[in-house]
Amino acid sequence: MLRLSKLTDYAVVVLIRLSHGEAVQTSPGIAAGIGLPEPTVAKVLKALAYSGLVSSQRGARGGYRLARALSAIPITDVVAAIDGPIALTACVEGSGAGCEAECTCPVRGRWDLVNDAVRQALARITLADMDRSAPRAHARAAAQQPDALALTLISAE
Amino acid sequence: MLRLSKLTDYAVVVLIRLSHGEAVQTSPGIAAGIGLPEPTVAKVLKALAYSGLVSSQRGARGGYRLARALSAIPITDVVAAIDGPIALTACVEGSGAGCEAECTCPVRGRWDLVNDAVRQALARITLADMDRSAPRAHARAAAQQPDALALTLISAE
DNA sequence: AGCAATCAGGACTTCTGCGGTCCGATTACA
DNA sequence: TGTAATCGGACCGCAGAAGTCCTGATTGCT
Ligand code: SF4
Ligand code: SF4
């Protein structure tokens, strides 16, 4: 159904939750705040910390803290942190495993266009746009960006 | 890894293969032409026929035939035919199953923005753009379309 | 220094749904 | 009318995701 993993969904929720209230929040605290199982939230936070989206503080009175502002985190970063790089099919650049029918496939390599289109669509939306309790400042800025997808299509071959 | 199902990938390959050579082609014939297991190709063709992307002809001398031109089939149609409607998360409109944390979630409903962005990115690319042996006529046309994503973001709320 | 709280990392189990396979229904052709 | 070719839908196994748990390392507080 072309759905992204549940963990990625949770990551967005967790990050937005982190932007509310206290600056540094603990893993069980966040889990309780959004009514999600604590171990799962912890797993998400670890992945986010590993990729540098949040900074962690160990020990008593520790917790997690946002590393950047919400408006500086595009959706692609969250997806990349949890699910790894965006690779719609096996033959796009970056996905190690190759397709077995790669030699005879008449579409070999063409998926890169679609892949980039999706990547750019996701890169234009930041977490600030996802927050229900924030103004829509960023959206207007996005409207002034050129249509990068079309440029990609034209430049291709 | 935000990847779409293998079947969808195969569907694109099959459709493009169908646009080459004979107008009506049989399921094993196509499978042999692209070196993919025959039952799998047959399954893909069935799904495509069910959703009207190809028309089927039963009986001897039967087979499958393209229902429309490649340039009239956006990627979204292929995805919808195989994987069902595009629904990145559980809480987007159209996905029957709801999320359990839906009442307390601070992102509830915001995924629609991302969902539409991806959908529109995929809708702008047709199978004709994926064919390696075809001219890139459509790409230039896409460049002249307005940036629908930004408009969506602005109009939201 | 001792203690309690918290994160880090990995191993393990469960389960959905994708990928692959099969046999019966249908239709043109001789 | 018989036959062969082909589509249609139902079936099952398995990889990968989702979720859980445990042990060890680190740090603030008393
Ligand atoms: S080579 Fe062809 S069949 Fe293989 S992943 Fe790429 S598009 Fe799909
Ligand atoms: S309601 Fe929140 S947690 Fe549930 S699917 Fe939607 S965004 Fe994700």
Side-chain angles (χ1 to χ4, degrees):
Chain A
M1 217 188 290
L2 187 61
R3 69 175 23 177
L4 46 78
S5 78
K6 246 172 172 181
L7 277 299
T8 304
D9 178 14
Y10 293 160
V12 172
V13 177
V14 164
L15 283 171
I16 290 187
R17 173 77 194 184
L18 246 176
S19 74
H20 300 333
E22 295 294 322
V24 50
Q25 296 180 35
T26 151
S27 163
I30 299 175
I34 51 186
L36 249 43
E38 192 274 329
T40 302
V41 171
K43 188 176 195 173
V44 167
L45 282 168
K46 286 171 199 171
L48 291 177
Y50 179 81
S51 59
L53 281 178
V54 300
S55 62
S56 64
Q57 179 64 24
R58 298 222 265 207
R61 284 286 302 166
Y64 293 96
R65 167 199 323 267
L66 272 180
R68 323 175 208 160
L70 281 190
S71 58
I73 306 181
I75 306 283
T76 42
D77 283 12
V78 183
V79 174
I82 308 289
D83 275 349
I86 295 180
L88 265 61
T89 65
C91 69
V92 294
E93 191 265 332
S95 166
C99 169
E100 74 284 351
E102 206 161 1
C103 43
T104 60
C105 176
V107 194
R108 179 184 62 252
R110 280 294 171 193
W111 277 111
D112 289 355
L113 296 179
V114 182
N115 209 53
D116 287 345
V118 171
R119 198 202 318 272
Q120 285 168 15
L122 261 53
R124 276 187 216 172
I125 305 185
T126 72
L127 289 188
D129 297 319
M130 303 283 292
D131 192 351
R132 309 186 102 228
S133 59
R136 290 280 89 67
H138 181 69
R140 190 157 271 101
Q144 285 152 13
Q145 295 179 4
D147 189 331
L149 163 61
L151 297 177
T152 302
L153 281 170
I154 288 178
S155 65
E157 186 162 356
Chain B
M1 213 189 293
L2 187 60
R3 71 173 21 175
L4 45 79
S5 76
K6 243 174 174 180
L7 278 297
T8 305
D9 178 14
Y10 294 160
V12 172
V13 177
V14 164
L15 283 172
I16 290 187
R17 172 77 195 185
L18 226 120
S19 73
H20 300 332
E22 295 293 322
V24 50
Q25 296 181 35
T26 154
S27 162
I30 299 175
I34 50 185
L36 249 44
E38 191 274 329
T40 301
V41 171
K43 185 175 195 172
V44 167
L45 283 168
K46 286 168 204 171
L48 291 177
Y50 179 81
S51 60
L53 281 178
V54 300
S55 61
S56 65
Q57 180 63 26
R58 296 225 264 207
R61 282 286 301 167
Y64 292 96
R65 168 200 324 266
L66 273 179
R68 324 175 208 160
L70 281 190
S71 58
I73 306 181
I75 306 284
T76 43
D77 283 12
V78 182
V79 174
I82 307 290
D83 275 347
I86 295 179
L88 265 60
T89 66
C91 68
V92 294
E93 190 265 334
S95 167
C99 168
E100 74 285 351
E102 205 161 2
C103 43
T104 60
C105 175
V107 195
R108 178 184 63 254
R110 279 294 171 194
W111 277 111
D112 290 354
L113 297 179
V114 182
N115 210 54
D116 287 345
V118 171
R119 200 204 316 273
Q120 285 168 15
L122 263 52
R124 275 187 216 172
I125 305 184
T126 71
L127 290 187
D129 297 319
M130 303 285 291
D131 192 350
R132 309 185 103 227
S133 59
R136 292 278 88 67
H138 181 70
R140 189 158 269 101
Q144 285 152 12
Q145 295 178 5
D147 189 331
L149 163 61
L151 298 178
T152 302
L153 282 170
I154 289 178
S155 64
E157 185 165 358

